[in-house]
Structure formats: structure tokens, C-alpha cells
Amino acid sequence: MGHATNYITVETIRKLYTLKTQLNSSLAEFTTNNVTSFTAKKFKLGIEKMATLSDIGVAAGINILSAFLFFIAFAILRLQPFNDRVYFPKWYLKGLRTDPVHGGIFVRKFVNLDWRAYLGFLNWMPEAIRMPEPELIDHAGLDSVVYLRIYLLGLKIFVPIAFLAWLILVPVNWTSTGLERAKITNITSSDIDKLSVSNVHSRSERFWGHITMAYAFTFWTCYVLLKEYEKVASMRLQFLAEEERRPDQFTVLVRNIPPDPDESVSELVEHFFLVNHPDHYLTHQVVYDANKLAKLVNKKKKLQNWLVYYQNKLERTSKRPEMKTGFLGLWGKKVDAIDYHVTEIDKLSKEIALEREKVANDPKSIMPVAFVSFKTRWGAAVCAQTQQTRNPTLWLTQWAPEPRDVYWPNLPIPYVSLTIRRLIIAVAFFFLTFFFMIPIAFVQTLASLDGIQKNASWLTPLVKVPFIKSFIQGFLPGIVLKLFLIFLPTILMIMSKFEGFESLSSLERRSASRYYIFNFVNIFLGNILTGTAFQQLDSFIHQPANQYPVTIGTAIPLKASFFITYIMVDGWASVAAEVLMLKPLIFYHLKNFFLVKTEKDREEAMNPGSIGFNTGEPRIQLYFLLGLVYAAVTPAVLPFIIIFFGLAYVVFRHQIINVYNQEYESAAAFWPDIHFRIVFALIISQLVLMGLLTTKKAASSTPFLIVLPILTIWFHRYCKGRFESAFVKFPLQEAMMKDTLERATEPNLNLKGYLKNAYVHPVFKDSIDDDDDDDLSQKWETESVTVPTKRQSRRNTPLPSRINGASSPSLPDSIPNHAEV
């Protein structure tokens, strides 16, 4: 009897196991044919608890409260007299503002006691918008104004799109029942998903509404982009035509100058341009490898700052300060701090003098790079935009950056090593981008309810509290991701500098490009595909390639709540914190207390900074990407993005007017990059929608979307051919007009004297004596430009040789008169 019981039990277990296998097989087959369950099976997205409307409400409340508190703190701090240089430094640098003067009691020097000034604590917002655009260009430059137009472009694109999406798509999605049918597959969803395309059941005719809106969104975005490209190109050309005289308008940067055994680099450059540009060549400045000298100068400046600090400390305490000579002053011999720094500065001054003399006299310090200046803008434009020799790798010419824009440490880098450097950085960036996904996924796991309950089970009772739960799901993932990426811009800028770009603007543009790629892979794709577990990334890698659009399209709607929380943290609270400028505020007062002794010191203590194109522009582009992707998928995201663009426009307009002091002016040369990234985001949104509708079995309607990427690519090619040349070339007609006007208004202009020191390395400018400059200027204005060459006589050498006095028999013996200044 006992054996029979055991036999029945085993048989029953076998039957149950067979039934379980059949059920699993049926469920797998069902989930393969169902979009949402496919995602649940492949990526376990349903396992993660999703943020509900209440969670997002809590996150919105936290971020709105944070932004409001930042604005209140800013409104109070900006009115205090001792903070005036922190919040209005640009006006001080322009010489249009002085320190506030308050009579009466002593406390008025530090605190504004006029209570009426605090009533309009948001008055700075209309004041920021009030300045007209032409005046803003004169005040801050075209780069800053066009940067602001990116935010306006976001409003122009997304406000009409949001109106259409909420008017048409939201009712279509809300009245569907797709998610109710999906409950049998245990797919977790939230109220936000009912507003998305996920709520539309498979094979529904309602998808025609999404396809129609995709066409409308695409046409509207392209129309706005076309008008904006045309406007910015016109602004750039007008700005260049009306711009005052600058050294870079007459100067070309020449790289990869070939070596010559008979002539120095300077003689070779002068000889080459006298021959090939005889009517327009004016002067040149060779580039020295002064990186070591620059490091010594910077080290001396730091020591001088410390010396000022200890001298001020002596005045306050009347006691000689002491310090340790070891690492960071933590150990080592204790010495008198003032005497030690005076001695170190004296030794460093001698070392700097020796190094400066070595650089100036050592031929090996002269690099095969030079700044060549011309008599006219027309001559510079012809040289910068043409090929100089048969060999396209020699005598490479390009427009010289303006002197403020030159990144001097990279000019001595040999041209042949640039390709190798960029290959190394490309490989390094690839690994940085894709391996960064692992720590991001790990951090996001720990910042979720499941992660906390798994890794810190003792917190389980706490996370069950409704407010704590809402805080974790609606706020914590976004802020953790934001903090985790805080050092990324610095890393990317270091990589760009290693690549060898010769200007600050090109460094920032390359860094911004890499930052955008990183955001696309890690913040956009990474959070969609990795979710909250490493297994999801592994599943994505090992699935068939034809499933990628299906997987991404399926996961997009389910991640809408995460991106909403991220937008609120990064786009609301962070933008509001920008106007507070807490870090510059603290650093200014520390410097003012410890280092400032003179008015010049006080001006140096102000650090207004710049707009930070390498970090700000990629962030804007991420919101363009999210907005365009979710416009037809989950329109609930759009209002949050619109609030970001509106708020950021006001904040950054205020900062550009009152704070930021742009380091360079590129005349909006970055706009083609802006246009391309928005077009790229538009194409991604179309592909995502195609993948999503494929999973929804909308086979009859999906092919109608194939036309959209083709039309969008054609549109980009049209804009590139129509407008991009205005951002990389300078029209000869415009150059001739400016030259003609300048000759008529300033016939006695000493252009050579104006240009001779424009591109001298900063470490040499301090050693140039003004009186010597005047004498040298007069000498340059009267001397002949005919320079004999040291090379042996050759058929392509029209100048007499210093060795045998002969010249090419096929050319005249001397340079014609029009080659003289």
C-alpha cells in the first residue's frame, strides 16, 4: 500500500511537470506574439515597479519646491552689496558697474536693508527677457545669442507638437483597452502608460492616428529647422560683415610645414608666401613649443597667490605664519611660510628666464606651425579656403582662431601624430561609453525599490511608507544618475585636448559631440535596455539583430516615467540652481577674504565663467531626442520638456546678460552640429515608432512610415548644401566689401603694427617692451619684404640664393614692386 502511494505521488509529479512545461511553452509562444509580454520575457521590464502618477507628483513637488527655494535664495543674495560682483560680474568687466555705495550704518555695506527691494523677487525674469536681440549681440556676442535660440527652437517645435498630441493622440490612447488585456501576462503598468501607445491593442486601426501625427510632427520640425537655419546663417553673415576689425580676419593658421635643410621655419614660411601670395602676404608668427615655460609661469602664479594669502594672514594676526614643506603641507620640515614662498618664487623666476631664453633661441623649439597674416581679408580668405601645393598633406591652411580662442598647448603637437591620437581617443571613448553602462545599471538598481529591498532588507519597512516609496521611485533614480555623471564633462574635455584641437571652440564642439553620443547610448538607450539588471543587457546583446527595433520600440513607452523624473531633476531643479551660482559665490568670498589686496585682485577673484557649450548643448539635445521620440509614443512627457525649455531660456538669458563672459567668439560656427543632432533625433523617433508598430502587428500601416526617414535625410542634405558653407567659409564678396570700406575710412591704418603681436604666445607677451614695439613697428613699415633664400637655386625658387646669387632662369631676377609693403 505504501509503495502504491509512492508510485501515485511520483506519477502525479510527472504529470504536473509535463503540464507546467506545456504551460510555459504556450506562454512563451503567446508572449512572442505580444509586444508587451515580449519585453517582459526578454528584458524583465515588468519586474521593476514603475512610478505611478502619485510618485511623479511627489517628484514634481520636490523639484518645484527646490527650484522655488533656489529662486528665493537667489533673489535675496543678489540684492546684498557684498554679492554684487558675483551676480553681475559682466558689467564690472565692461566697466559699467561699480561697487554699491550705502550711507549710514556699517551693516549697509554688507546687507540691503531696504525691505521694498525684496518685494519683486522675481523681477529679474522680465528684466532678462526685455533686452532686444540686436542689443544682446552687441553686449554678449553672437555665440551667446544663438545658443539662447536653441532653447527658443525647442519651444517653437514642441509647443505646437504638444498641442496636437494632447488634442488627438491622448484621447486615442486613453480610450483604448490594450493594457487591460495585457494584465493576464502580469505586465506592470502605471496610469501614465494609459496615455501612451502601449494602451492601444494590437492590429488596431487607431495606429493610423499615430502615423498621421508622425508625418505632421516631422514636417513641422523640418519647417522650423529650415527657417531657423536660414535665420542663423543670415545672422552669422551679417555679424561678420558688421564686426569690428579682428586679427583672425587677416590671419591663417598654417600646419605641417615641410622641413628644409637650408632655411629655418620662419624663413621658409616667409619665402613660401612671398612666392605664392606676393600681393597679399604681410607678416607671420612662428609657433614655439612653450608648454614647459607655460607650466612654470602657472606654477609661479600659484605660489604668488599663496604668498599673498600668508602676507594677509600676517597682517591680521601679527604672527609669522608657518607651514610644512611636505605633500599638501601635511608633513615635512616646518618653515616660515612667507620666506619659503619668496625664496621659491625667486628660484622659479630665474628658471623661467632661462627657459624663455632657451625657447627663443633654440631652433628645435620652433614648430612647423605658423600664423600667417595678410594685407586684406580677401587675401586671407583665398589662402584659408584653397589648397596650397600639389601635396594635399603639406602647407595645410585654415582660418586662424581669434587670439582668445587659441589653445596654445596643442599647437606644438606634430601634425603626423594627430591621426594616431584621434584613433587612440576613438577607441578609449568606445570603451568609456559602453562600459559606463555597467556602473549606471548598477547604480540604477540600487536606487530602485527592488534594489533597496534586496541589498538592504532592513530598510523594507521604511520604503513601504507611501511618501518614501514615492520619493525613491519618482526622484531618487534621476538624482543618482545626475550625480553619477558629474565628472563626465571633465573626462571628455581631457580626451578632446589629447586629440590635438587647436582652439577652445573646437575643443568644446568635439567634447559636446562625444557627450551627446554618450547621452544617447547610456542615458537614452542604456536606461531603456538595461533597466535595473545586468541580465537585461546580456539578453539584448545575444538576441537576433532584427529584434533590436522591436525591443527598443517596446521598451520606450515603459520608460516614460523614468525620463519624466530625470527631466524634472536635471531640467528643472538643476537649471534653477544655475542662477544661484553657489560654487562661484563661495569661491569668490574665500578669495576675497584670503587673497584680495588690491582692486585688480578683486577683479581676478571674480570668476563669471562661460555658457559651457560642451555640457549645456548636449543636455539640450537630449531633451530634443526625448521630446521627438515620445511625441507620438507618450505625449505626457512633452509638458515637462516644454517647462524645461522655457525655464532654461529665461535663466540662461539672465546669466548671459549679467554673468557669463564668453572666452571666445566663433560667430555661431557650431550651428550645423545643432541642426544635425536634431535631425538625427527625428530619424531615431521615426525608427522607434516603426519598431513599436511592428510589435503591435500593425503590418498594414507600418510601411507608410518608411518614407519619413528618407524624406528627413533628404531634408538634411538639402540644408547642408544650402546653408553649411556659410559656417565654414567666408564669402570673398563680403571680404572685399569690408576691405574696400576699411581702405576708404582708414587709409593710414598700420595693419602690420596691429597684427604683429596678436598671435604671440601669452608667456612671451609679458616680456615685450612697449618702446621696443614702437621702434620695431616703424622698422617693419619701412623695410622691404624681399628676403633672399638660403636654399640652392631651383626652378621653383624665384628669389636669389644666398649661396650662389643665382635665381631660377625661368623667373625674373627680383620680386616686382607690387610685392613690397
Side-chain angles (χ1 to χ4, degrees), residues 34-49:
N34 184 279
V35 52
T36 313
S37 58
F38 173 84
T39 306
K41 183 176 186 299
K42 281 290 186 182
F43 291 92
K44 306 178 184 178
L45 292 173
I47 296 176
E48 181 186 357
K49 295 181 177 64

Side-chain angles (χ1 to χ4, degrees), residues 350-558:
K350 296 177 182 178
E351 190 175 352
I352 289 173
L354 292 175
E355 181 65 22
R356 181 180 284 118
E357 183 178 358
K358 175 184 175 183
V359 171
N361 298 325
D362 186 2
K364 295 182 180 179
S365 298
I366 301 177
M367 308 308 298
V369 183
F371 291 98
V372 180
S373 298
F374 294 82
K375 299 175 184 177
T376 62
R377 297 171 181 84
W378 190 93
V382 170
C383 181
Q385 298 165 183
T386 55
Q387 181 174 315
Q388 303 303 308
T389 64
R390 290 181 178 181
N391 189 341
T393 64
L394 299 177
W395 294 98
L396 302 178
T397 57
Q398 65 187 70
W399 279 110
E402 65 163 319
R404 295 181 303 167
D405 193 17
V406 177
Y407 186 68
W408 294 97
N410 278 356
L411 289 181
I413 297 176
Y415 183 80
V416 293
S417 69
L418 294 181
T419 303
I420 300 175
R421 284 171 169 259
R422 290 172 187 177
L423 176 62
I424 293 173
I425 291 300
V427 175
F429 178 69
F430 173 84
F431 284 101
L432 173 69
T433 300
F434 287 93
F435 279 92
F436 218 83
M437 192 179 295
I438 296 175
I440 285 180
F442 176 73
V443 171
Q444 292 294 83
T445 299
L446 297 181
S448 66
L449 285 177
D450 293 334
I452 293 176
Q453 292 174 354
K454 180 179 179 180
N455 297 283
S457 57
W458 54 276
L459 291 175
T460 300
L462 182 63
V463 299
K464 289 183 178 180
V465 177
F467 177 79
I468 301 297
K469 171 180 171 293
S470 298
F471 174 82
I472 293 173
Q473 290 191 290
F475 183 77
L476 190 60
I479 192 66
V480 168
L481 180 60
K482 178 72 175 175
L483 294 175
F484 201 74
L485 300 175
I486 196 169
F487 296 108
L488 179 64
T490 303
I491 297 173
L492 295 179
M493 182 57 73
I494 292 173
M495 296 173 73
S496 298
K497 290 178 179 178
F498 180 81
E499 287 185 278
F501 292 97
E502 71 283 344
S503 64
L504 296 174
S505 57
S506 58
L507 285 172
E508 289 199 342
R509 288 201 296 271
R510 174 51 68 95
S511 182
S513 176
R514 296 201 186 282
Y515 201 168
Y516 176 72
I517 296 172
F518 186 93
N519 283 345
F520 176 75
V521 173
N522 284 284
I523 295 182
F524 182 69
L525 292 181
N527 282 284
I528 289 170
L529 301 179
T530 61
T532 59
F534 296 116
Q535 301 96 313
Q536 297 169 3
L537 176 60
D538 182 70
S539 299
F540 178 76
I541 293 174
H542 291 91
Q543 68 173 306
N546 60 359
Q547 293 294 331
Y548 289 172
V550 175
T551 303
I552 296 174
T554 303
I556 285 287
L558 301 177

Side-chain angles (χ1 to χ4, degrees), residues 245 737-749:
R245 182 171 53 251
M737 290 172 59
K738 286 185 70 71
D739 291 333
T740 304
L741 179 62
E742 188 172 74
R743 281 195 297 267
T745 55
E746 300 180 76
N748 298 321
L749 173 65

Side-chain angles (χ1 to χ4, degrees), residues 754-765:
Y754 171 74
L755 294 171
K756 66 181 184 299
N757 291 327
Y759 287 97
V760 174
H761 197 291
V763 296
F764 294 116
K765 287 187 176 181

Side-chain angles (χ1 to χ4, degrees), residues 4 55 89 173 357 393 401 407 567 706:
D55 299 333
N173 297 335
E357 183 178 358
T393 64
Y407 186 68
I567 291 169
I706 297 176

